[in-house]
Amino acid sequence: MYSDVKVVNKDVKVKLYPDDDIKQHIHQNIGNARFVRNKLLKEYQDTFALFKQYSYHKLQCNQRTFNTMLRILKKEYSFLYESESSSLQQEYRDLIKSFKSFFKEISGYPKYKSKRNLKQRFRIQNNNNIKINNNTIV
């Protein structure tokens, strides 16, 4: 019965014309997503260096590890609670993908996100917080 179920991932690209309040919220989400990715990458590098120092070369790059690191970051930096939690979780999922493709020698080492990059973005899950009705976001 369950063999007929298909999971469909759907992307929606939207051009926004926000007011000043929404602009500030969007920039907050973008900045927090960049901050989380860069902090998680740095923490993983530091932890891996510490493991390597004691001749232990296996540090798991999985969702559980990064989820724990994200929880620690949220306790340390309270402003992370102001952004969409799914966008922060998406950052560590992307980081895990980057590390996996690096370890399989498909791509290079994961890079830090830069504020100077022309394409600033963040991703959210469809969790019914954002809805599109008649070409407006509710």
Side-chain angles (χ1 to χ4, degrees), residues 77-94:
Y77 302 100
S78 62
F79 63 87
L80 293 176
Y81 285 107
E82 296 172 16
S83 65
E84 188 72 30
S85 64
S86 64
S87 67
L88 303 181
Q89 292 166 355
Q90 193 61 48
E91 284 302 320
Y92 73 67
R93 287 186 197 111
D94 292 343

Side-chain angles (χ1 to χ4, degrees), residues 45-60:
Q45 289 171 342
D46 292 347
T47 308
F48 187 75
L50 182 66
F51 274 45
K52 202 173 180 182
Q53 181 181 355
Y54 291 102
S55 301
Y56 184 73
H57 296 286
K58 281 199 150 198
L59 175 62
Q60 298 221 339

